[in-house]
Amino acid sequence: MAAKRKLSVLFVTSEVAPLVKTGGLADVSGALPIALMAQGVEVRVLMPGYPAVMEGVKAKGRLASLPAMGELPGCQLLAGKLPGGVPLLIVDCPQLYHRPGGPYQDISGKDWADNDLRFGLLCYVAALLAGAHSPITWRPRILHCNDWQAGLAPAYLHFMQGEKARTVTTIHNLAYQGVYPAVTLSRLGLPPSAFSPNGVEYYGNLSFLKAGLYYADHITTVSPNYAQEIQHAPLGMGLQGLLAHRVERLTGILNGIDTDAWDPESDPYIAKYYNAARLPVKLENKRALQSRLGLQAADDVPLIGSVGRFTDQKGFDLILECAQALIGLPAQLAILGSGDAELQEAFQQLARSHPGKVGVQIGYDESLAHQIEAGADLFLMPSRFEPCGLNQMYSQRYGTPPVVHATGGLVDSVVDCTPQTIANKTATGFLFSPMTREAMLIGVGRAVAAYRDKKLWRQLQKNGMARDFSWDTSARQYLELYAALLAEQPA
Ligand code: ADP
């Protein structure tokens, strides 16, 4: 009798928390493989050997030497472990990766001119490991590729002979697509036949992400609602036609959150621990936050928090436009963020002109982010689009009902407060739409009215705190998807 083969997954990514992080992809890459391992999957993560990886992973062994291909230089394949214990495969290529700066940009913020080669090599190595001519004995049955940086791996694999892994491409951010001139095809050693609308070609160029979406056996994105939205303009960002065409092969799986790092019962950053049974203690966190941000000590004035990147996506401009009306409710504002210079200046100006009522901190500050989640009464998230979003899940866990624009993963993770959801105890926050000042103010107004109803408010807080946003749930869905893909082909 043939032994049942263990489910093995090669998870290809360009960033992994805590080693290299620029966004949500790093959080997913840090957490999902751990959750999959806990469910019995044999996972290995493949990523480039940036300096932070070479320094952060102390014990490394050499597994194989890979020769150059096209303009891709030769490289070494190293094996180590991520801080969380997940086996790591590193593409060590000093010529491409050993340089100061970020994974995608130099220290001045300019994209590396050879990103096509940097991530082309990652894709090529991933495909080699997933195919019949792998230089190592370990074989993944699933090749799981993330974002454009891993998008060409299913394309390379498509053109390889012999037994191969099934492939999944996950979209974390559709705004970045890895588009390069046509000549890149031969530089990366892909066959001319790949350069077709039914292939890697995208309006005369080569697109890493389009290749990943075209050649992967399955596509996922990070929430079910966003999976619907990206089948249409404008959120499909040019790829809506292909995504709609592949709808049978497109699934949304909501991200989880790190429930250890974000736990009001043990969060080292907050003034006082609390849980659903000790909600009055949360007030001490509100007082501490008011004190830290120079806000007036006022227990009964609702404190509205918001944390995030100052980009067009996150809608902080709308908060700014509504600031007077929000303060007039009355309410206080606690804002933490960085990004767009004009928004930074405008928020600082707002804080100067409303001392005691508006507290603003510009920059990235992990401790303040936790303190806002714990100390605010409401959490405001007017994102124009949001593939998944994390803060709205943190805020529910912290008993801080979110007020969110009804888009993307926010729709999947926040239950709007209505007579029906109040009655069945599922309400956890407030959704507003469309993305206008008026609608946002109505949403916040509904939240403040609910805040004044102490019994209702407690119920909302408890409903949110009882929700399970752990990675286990998401990992189980990925596991089901992998199993379904493997069941489609003979073992
Ligand atoms: P995105 O990945 O699009 O930036 P998410 O809501 O998915 O948005 O995740 C953002 C994460 O980064 C959250 O954990 C949020 O608290 C954190 N974050 C964003 N900006 C800041 C900041 N200025 N200081 C601290 N944490 C921040």
Side-chain angles (χ1 to χ4, degrees):
M1 195 174 71
K4 195 161 168 252
R5 277 174 70 192
K6 197 163 179 174
L7 177 51
S8 47
V9 177
L10 182 63
F11 191 90
V12 189
T13 182
S14 54
E15 45 184 284
V16 177
L19 295 179
V20 183
K21 172 167 169 172
T22 71
L25 170 60
D27 292 321
V28 176
S29 305
L32 178 57
I34 294 176
L36 286 168
M37 265 175 58
Q39 298 191 19
V41 181
E42 200 180 278
V43 194
R44 296 191 187 183
V45 170
L46 177 74
M47 72 183 301
Y50 315 114
V53 173
M54 302 303 279
E55 285 151 27
V57 180
K58 292 290 176 235
K60 296 182 284 290
R62 208 179 80 180
L63 287 183
S65 280
L66 306 178
M69 201 275 296
E71 288 183 32
L72 298 176
C75 63
Q76 307 287 323
L77 187 66
L78 309 181
K81 267 199 168 59
L82 285 167
V86 176
L88 175 67
L89 299 173
I90 302 169
V91 183
D92 182 25
C93 182
Q95 190 183 328
L96 293 183
Y97 306 131
H98 285 202
R99 40 179 99 154
Y104 317 122
Q105 296 169 332
D106 63 21
I107 26 186
S108 74
K110 202 163 145 284
D111 281 353
W112 297 112
D114 56 357
N115 271 344
D116 52 347
L117 295 180
R118 285 160 62 81
F119 298 107
L121 181 64
L122 176 70
C123 295
Y124 175 61
V125 174
L128 271 183
L129 296 175
H133 306 290
S134 170
I136 63 174
T137 51
W138 181 79
R139 291 290 152 80
R141 298 180 72 201
I142 298 285
L143 177 64
H144 189 154
C145 304
N146 293 279
D147 273 351
W148 76 264
Q149 294 87 350
L152 282 185
Y156 277 117
L157 193 60
H158 175 83
F159 292 101
M160 288 176 181
Q161 301 300 316
E163 205 187 334
K164 50 186 91 163
R166 304 284 280 160
T167 53
V168 177
T169 292
T170 296
I171 304 164
H172 303 263
N173 196 336
L174 201 50
Y176 301 94
Q177 303 184 354
V179 177
Y180 294 93
V183 63
T184 312
L185 189 84
S186 59
R187 297 182 70 200
L188 298 182
L190 278 161
S193 62
F195 200 74
S196 147
N198 293 322
V200 306
E201 190 263 352
Y202 184 65
Y203 295 106
N205 292 312
L206 175 150
S207 163
F208 275 59
L209 184 61
K210 191 230 162 172
L213 302 181
Y214 181 81
Y215 286 108
D217 294 312
H218 204 92
I219 302 164
T220 73
T221 188
V222 290
S223 70
N225 188 44
Y226 191 62
Q228 297 297 321
E229 292 173 338
I230 58 178
Q231 293 171 43
H232 312 277
L235 294 190
M237 298 193 174
L239 290 166
Q240 58 271 13
L242 174 56
L243 290 163
H245 179 69
R246 298 212 66 198
V247 62
E248 301 294 324
R249 290 290 181 175
L250 171 62
T251 308
I253 300 179
L254 195 71
N255 282 339
I257 58 170
D258 183 335
T259 48
D260 292 326
W262 293 90
D263 182 355
E265 278 193 282
S266 58
D267 186 333
Y269 294 118
I270 69 176
K272 199 94 184 194
Y273 300 157
Y274 62 99
N275 58 27
R278 281 186 289 129
L279 268 171
V281 178
K282 189 176 187 305
L283 181 60
E284 306 215 19
N285 290 296
K286 178 173 180 175
R287 290 176 180 155
L289 179 61
Q290 284 170 327
S291 157
R292 174 163 179 186
L293 290 179
L295 295 167
Q296 284 161 7
D299 290 353
D300 293 329
V301 176
L303 176 46
I304 302 173
S306 203
V307 179
R309 294 179 291 116
F310 286 178
T311 63
D312 191 52
Q313 176 191 345
K314 299 291 175 181
F316 279 95
D317 51 313
L318 206 64
I319 302 184
L320 205 56
E321 284 178 32
C322 293
Q324 293 287 353
L326 293 172
I327 297 161
L329 281 168
Q332 296 181 339
L333 292 180
I335 307 288
L336 167 63
S338 62
D340 182 275
E342 275 180 35
L343 273 178
Q344 292 188 173
E345 177 47 37
F347 271 110
Q348 282 173 319
Q349 178 57 41
L350 183 75
R352 279 194 295 270
S353 50
H354 299 278
K357 295 187 174 150
V358 178
V360 169
Q361 186 165 310
I362 301 301
Y364 192 95
D365 188 322
E366 195 71 30
S367 74
L368 185 56
H370 286 244
Q371 288 158 10
I372 290 178
E373 291 289 5
D377 294 302
L378 314 174
F379 196 92
L380 185 54
M381 229 172 142
S383 305
R384 290 198 161 76
F385 67 95
E386 195 60 85
C388 177
L390 295 173
N391 278 314
Q392 81 284 5
M393 296 196 262
Y394 302 151
S395 69
Q396 288 170 77
R397 198 164 155 73
Y398 279 67
T400 307
V403 181
V404 303
H405 177 217
T407 186
L410 301 176
V411 171
D412 292 313
S413 54
V414 179
V415 179
D416 192 33
C417 184
T418 65
Q420 193 196 353
T421 58
I422 292 169
N424 65 19
K425 295 194 165 42
T426 55
T428 64
F430 302 84
L431 296 167
F432 69 86
S433 183
M435 177 72 189
T436 59
R437 257 186 285 187
E438 294 72 26
M440 190 180 93
L441 285 172
I442 290 172
V444 176
R446 288 167 57 216
V448 168
Y451 171 80
R452 299 268 167 241
D453 178 342
K454 292 282 177 259
K455 192 160 161 251
L456 170 60
W457 196 250
R458 278 281 181 267
Q459 190 60 54
L460 275 180
Q461 290 179 299
K462 286 184 179 172
N463 294 347
M465 294 177 94
R467 289 197 60 174
D468 176 8
F469 290 120
S470 71
W471 269 104
D472 298 349
T473 315
S474 316
R476 240 190 319 273
Q477 293 175 59
Y478 281 105
L479 205 54
E480 280 166 19
L481 170 65
Y482 298 156
L485 286 175
L486 292 174
E488 286 171 358
Q489 56 169 206

